[in-house]
Amino acid sequence: MSQAPAPPKATPRRHDREIVALALPAFGALIAEPLFVMADSAIVGHLGTAQLAGLGIASALLTTAVSVFVFLAYATTAAVARRVGAGDLQAAIRQGMDGIWLALLIGGAVIAVVLPLAPGIVDLFGASTTAAPYATTYLRISSLGIPAMLVVLASTGVLRGLQDTRTPLYVAIAGFIANGALNGGLVYGAGLGIAGSAWGTVIAQCAMAAVYLTVVVRGARRHGASLRPDAAGIRASAQAGVPLLVRTLSLRAILMIATAVAARLGDADIAAHQIILSLWSLLAFALDAIAIAGQAIIGRYLGAGDAQGAREACRRMIQWGIATGIVLGLLVVVSRPLFLPLFTSDSAVTDTALPALLMVALSQPICGIVFVLDGVLMGAGDGPYLAWAMVVTLAVFTPVALLVPTFGGGLTALWAAMMLMMAVRMLTLWLRTRSGRWIVTGATR
């Protein structure tokens, strides 16, 4: 956490180096959370079907809860990066501490809700009588790790704002290894069953949070930044996060509507949809890594008062997004015959998924632009516009998706609606970027 230099003269080659240096480690850190879930599933799966079903329900709830508060990372990245660009490391770290304190407050509130209401929440999601006790146990124990996970999100935002994506990568790798070792030892070695898996994950999450806090606290002491909670700063962090929360909830609503429509189309369609959605999420990690680089780079340029550098960085990242999207789309087309058999041997599911995957492939260049512009506007602190744009996108997508069962076309039509959704996002973000209204220079927006 040494003092970041002022942005050097912007050139395409320099932008390329910055994007790669930030995006590659960010990609590695992004895939850590899905790997946590996969490791837990592999270990718990050998306990029995009911235990695995319980884990599936509880982990889906926990993943949703954490993803809703991802604004802790996004808003903190933008705010810290601006301060870094302005050359004020003390204020940058102070801003980051406000985000961390907000994470602790939100985490405590979530625990207060989940602990007493866990059985009702599990029942609400339709858990069977055999799976419900395991889901409740896992949910209650794992909820104790939510404050740590939210601290990880906020701390990751601090380090990204400081142009450091390597430390989050190293912490994520260590956390994944620790999680697997703890789960194996507590589930089987200590005989704790699914509770052991939950405790292992909580311990790993708390250890990750402790490492992050150690890094941030050392930086704060080095630069003379206060560690005490500041009500005004925490309130400002929350206000900056509200628009991004609206954006995230709107996006989650789109994905839930798509899944509900797929379920109405039939068993083969919903099965194929889940397979395609898992691929869609994997592709999103690659594009989101570029978006994260965009948040850090754009925030830093704007904080330094370099509007021209921010524009040039935006243009270069759009080119990266398009190129990456084209490559990913081609990979989807080529790998379709190899990818689908990994998930199913049912020919009905395969036949349903194949044409829908073409829609996913065709949409990737659009997705590349969307993710990059999303990151650019987040880095600029343009949260209110992002919230408005996503609400508009939800309003356009919902009636189109709901009409799919009526007008036919099956899963391919549904994913055509998803492609339309991304096109609407691209249009709204492009119009904003072209207007230049997102370019507000200075240490604060």
Side-chain angles (χ1 to χ4, degrees):
M1 292 179 62
S2 59
Q3 181 159 346
K9 188 179 186 303
T11 64
R13 182 171 295 179
R14 191 178 297 278
H15 286 316
D16 290 344
R17 288 198 295 268
E18 286 187 329
I19 292 167
V20 171
L22 291 170
L24 283 181
F27 175 73
L30 283 170
I31 64 175
E33 183 62 26
L35 290 175
F36 266 58
V37 177
M38 288 176 61
D40 288 358
S41 299
I43 293 170
V44 172
H46 292 286
L47 294 174
T49 302
Q51 288 91 332
L52 183 59
L55 171 66
I57 294 167
S59 63
L61 291 168
L62 291 163
T63 301
T64 299
V66 173
S67 66
V68 163
F69 299 116
V70 73
F71 70 82
L72 289 165
Y74 293 159
T76 304
T77 297
V80 171
R82 275 184 175 271
R83 300 283 190 178
V84 169
D88 192 346
L89 264 291
Q90 183 185 78
I93 298 172
R94 173 66 261 179
Q95 189 97 42
M97 285 304 305
D98 293 335
I100 291 172
W101 280 112
L102 177 61
L104 288 169
L105 291 173
I106 294 174
V110 172
I111 289 178
V113 171
V114 172
L115 281 180
L117 299 180
I121 295 172
V122 168
D123 289 340
L124 186 64
F125 278 76
S128 67
T129 55
T130 55
Y134 297 111
T136 301
T137 297
Y138 192 93
L139 182 60
R140 276 181 165 158
I141 297 172
S142 292
S143 68
L144 300 176
I146 287 180
M149 282 308 297
L150 298 187
V151 167
V152 167
L153 285 177
S155 301
T156 300
V158 175
L159 295 180
R160 288 173 181 171
L162 292 168
Q163 317 296 297
D164 176 10
T165 56
R166 290 183 178 273
T167 299
L169 172 62
Y170 299 148
V171 176
I173 292 172
F176 171 71
I177 294 172
N179 180 67
L182 286 166
N183 279 4
L186 293 174
V187 170
Y188 297 109
L192 296 180
I194 194 169
S197 176
W199 280 117
T201 299
V202 168
I203 294 170
Q205 290 167 341
C206 290
M208 291 171 67
V211 172
Y212 275 117
L213 288 174
T214 299
V215 174
V216 174
V217 167
R218 283 179 179 172
R221 288 174 175 168
R222 185 180 306 123
H223 297 286
S226 174
L227 298 174
R228 295 179 180 178
D230 176 66
I234 294 172
R235 186 164 54 250
S237 294
Q239 290 171 347
V242 168
L244 296 181
L245 176 61
V246 172
R247 168 198 168 275
T248 301
L249 290 174
S250 299
L251 180 57
R252 298 295 301 185
I254 288 171
L255 297 177
M256 289 176 63
I257 290 169
T259 300
V261 171
R264 291 176 60 189
L265 296 175
D267 290 347
D269 293 87
I270 185 61
H273 177 74
Q274 289 303 112
I275 294 172
I276 294 172
L277 200 58
S278 66
L279 176 62
W280 175 276
S281 299
L282 179 62
L283 298 173
F285 287 135
L287 297 174
D288 204 23
I290 303 175
I292 288 169
Q295 293 171 31
I297 292 170
I298 294 297
R300 193 190 73 214
Y301 274 112
L302 293 178
D306 189 353
Q308 184 60 30
R311 289 190 185 93
E312 292 176 2
C314 176
R315 282 195 293 269
R316 193 60 176 173
M317 281 183 285
I318 289 173
Q319 294 170 0
W320 269 82
I322 294 172
T324 305
I326 291 172
V327 171
L328 293 176
L330 291 173
L331 287 175
V332 171
V333 173
V334 172
S335 65
R336 285 185 308 158
L338 302 175
F339 173 74
L340 290 173
L342 295 175
F343 291 87
T344 182
S345 58
D346 188 333
S347 59
V349 175
T350 302
D351 293 342
T352 301
L354 279 171
L357 277 172
L358 287 178
M359 291 296 172
V360 174
L362 290 172
S363 69
Q364 288 311 296
I366 297 174
C367 293
I369 297 173
V370 168
F371 275 79
V372 165
L373 294 184
D374 213 34
V376 166
L377 295 184
M378 282 185 189
D382 205 8
Y385 183 85
L386 289 171
W388 174 86
M390 190 59 77
V391 170
V392 169
T393 302
L394 173 62
V396 173
F397 171 78
T398 300
V400 174
L402 293 178
L403 287 173
V404 167
T406 302
F407 288 96
L411 192 65
T412 302
L414 176 59
W415 276 92
M418 291 286 284
M419 186 175 176
L420 171 65
M421 178 269 293
M422 294 303 294
V424 172
R425 289 186 69 188
M426 181 179 71
L427 177 62
T428 57
L429 298 177
W430 177 77
L431 288 173
R432 183 64 167 184
T433 307
R434 186 185 181 190
S435 74
R437 294 177 182 174
W438 57 279
I439 299 177
V440 179
T441 58
T444 59
R445 183 176 173 85

Short mmCIF file of all heavy atoms in Angstrom, two decimals, residues 147 167 171 193 210 242 258 263 283 306 326 332 338 340 366 405 435:
data_model
loop_
_atom_site.label_atom_id
_atom_site.label_comp_id
_atom_site.label_asym_id
_atom_site.label_seq_id
_atom_site.Cartn_x
_atom_site.Cartn_y
_atom_site.Cartn_z
N PRO A 147 -20.50 -10.97 8.01
CA PRO A 147 -19.73 -9.74 8.24
C PRO A 147 -18.31 -9.83 7.68
O PRO A 147 -17.80 -8.87 7.10
CB PRO A 147 -19.72 -9.61 9.76
CG PRO A 147 -20.96 -10.31 10.20
CD PRO A 147 -21.09 -11.48 9.26
N THR A 167 -2.99 -8.49 -4.31
CA THR A 167 -3.25 -8.93 -2.94
C THR A 167 -4.58 -9.68 -2.82
O THR A 167 -4.64 -10.75 -2.20
CB THR A 167 -3.20 -7.73 -1.97
OG1 THR A 167 -1.90 -7.14 -2.03
CG2 THR A 167 -3.49 -8.18 -0.54
N VAL A 171 -4.96 -13.55 -1.43
CA VAL A 171 -5.85 -13.86 -0.31
C VAL A 171 -6.92 -14.87 -0.74
O VAL A 171 -7.26 -15.79 0.01
CB VAL A 171 -6.50 -12.58 0.25
CG1 VAL A 171 -7.50 -12.93 1.34
CG2 VAL A 171 -5.44 -11.64 0.81
N GLY A 193 -20.17 -33.34 10.20
CA GLY A 193 -21.15 -33.34 9.12
C GLY A 193 -21.26 -31.98 8.45
O GLY A 193 -20.28 -31.24 8.33
N ALA A 210 -9.38 -10.99 8.22
CA ALA A 210 -8.30 -10.58 9.12
C ALA A 210 -7.06 -10.15 8.32
O ALA A 210 -6.39 -9.16 8.67
CB ALA A 210 -7.95 -11.71 10.08
N VAL A 242 -26.31 3.13 -2.40
CA VAL A 242 -27.74 2.90 -2.67
C VAL A 242 -28.05 2.76 -4.15
O VAL A 242 -28.74 1.81 -4.56
CB VAL A 242 -28.59 4.02 -2.02
CG1 VAL A 242 -30.03 3.96 -2.53
CG2 VAL A 242 -28.59 3.87 -0.50
N ALA A 258 -35.93 -14.63 -15.81
CA ALA A 258 -35.52 -15.55 -16.87
C ALA A 258 -35.62 -17.00 -16.41
O ALA A 258 -36.09 -17.87 -17.15
CB ALA A 258 -34.08 -15.23 -17.30
N ALA A 263 -38.57 -22.22 -16.38
CA ALA A 263 -39.27 -23.29 -15.66
C ALA A 263 -40.65 -23.55 -16.26
O ALA A 263 -41.12 -24.70 -16.29
CB ALA A 263 -39.39 -22.91 -14.19
N LEU A 283 -18.34 -16.75 -18.25
CA LEU A 283 -17.91 -15.75 -19.23
C LEU A 283 -17.92 -14.35 -18.61
O LEU A 283 -17.06 -13.52 -18.91
CB LEU A 283 -18.83 -15.79 -20.45
CG LEU A 283 -18.85 -17.09 -21.25
CD1 LEU A 283 -19.93 -17.04 -22.33
CD2 LEU A 283 -17.50 -17.38 -21.88
N ASP A 306 -7.43 14.48 -14.86
CA ASP A 306 -7.03 14.18 -16.24
C ASP A 306 -8.22 13.63 -17.02
O ASP A 306 -8.37 12.42 -17.20
CB ASP A 306 -5.89 13.17 -16.23
CG ASP A 306 -5.26 12.97 -17.61
OD1 ASP A 306 -5.80 13.50 -18.60
OD2 ASP A 306 -4.24 12.25 -17.69
N ILE A 326 -15.56 -11.08 -28.65
CA ILE A 326 -15.50 -11.86 -29.89
C ILE A 326 -14.80 -13.21 -29.65
O ILE A 326 -15.27 -14.26 -30.09
CB ILE A 326 -14.76 -11.06 -31.00
CG1 ILE A 326 -15.62 -9.87 -31.44
CG2 ILE A 326 -14.43 -11.97 -32.19
CD1 ILE A 326 -14.90 -8.92 -32.38
N VAL A 332 -17.37 -20.24 -27.38
CA VAL A 332 -18.66 -20.87 -27.08
C VAL A 332 -19.12 -21.71 -28.27
O VAL A 332 -19.57 -22.85 -28.10
CB VAL A 332 -19.72 -19.80 -26.73
CG1 VAL A 332 -21.11 -20.43 -26.65
CG2 VAL A 332 -19.38 -19.14 -25.41
N LEU A 338 -18.46 -30.10 -26.79
CA LEU A 338 -17.68 -30.62 -25.68
C LEU A 338 -18.24 -30.18 -24.34
O LEU A 338 -18.14 -30.90 -23.35
CB LEU A 338 -16.22 -30.15 -25.81
CG LEU A 338 -15.49 -30.54 -27.11
CD1 LEU A 338 -14.12 -29.88 -27.14
CD2 LEU A 338 -15.38 -32.04 -27.23
N LEU A 340 -21.50 -29.30 -23.35
CA LEU A 340 -22.79 -29.82 -22.88
C LEU A 340 -22.71 -31.22 -22.27
O LEU A 340 -23.34 -31.49 -21.25
CB LEU A 340 -23.81 -29.80 -24.03
CG LEU A 340 -24.28 -28.40 -24.44
CD1 LEU A 340 -25.15 -28.45 -25.68
CD2 LEU A 340 -25.05 -27.73 -23.29
N ILE A 366 -21.41 -7.73 -27.41
CA ILE A 366 -22.27 -6.74 -26.74
C ILE A 366 -21.98 -6.74 -25.25
O ILE A 366 -21.84 -5.69 -24.62
CB ILE A 366 -23.76 -7.06 -27.00
CG1 ILE A 366 -24.07 -6.97 -28.49
CG2 ILE A 366 -24.66 -6.13 -26.21
CD1 ILE A 366 -25.48 -7.41 -28.84
N PRO A 405 -43.39 -17.77 -23.46
CA PRO A 405 -44.24 -18.97 -23.47
C PRO A 405 -45.48 -18.83 -24.35
O PRO A 405 -45.97 -19.82 -24.90
CB PRO A 405 -44.64 -19.14 -21.99
CG PRO A 405 -43.57 -18.43 -21.23
CD PRO A 405 -43.22 -17.25 -22.08
N SER A 435 -22.16 11.25 -23.97
CA SER A 435 -22.54 12.59 -23.52
C SER A 435 -21.41 13.30 -22.77
O SER A 435 -21.35 14.52 -22.74
CB SER A 435 -23.77 12.51 -22.61
OG SER A 435 -23.42 11.99 -21.33
#
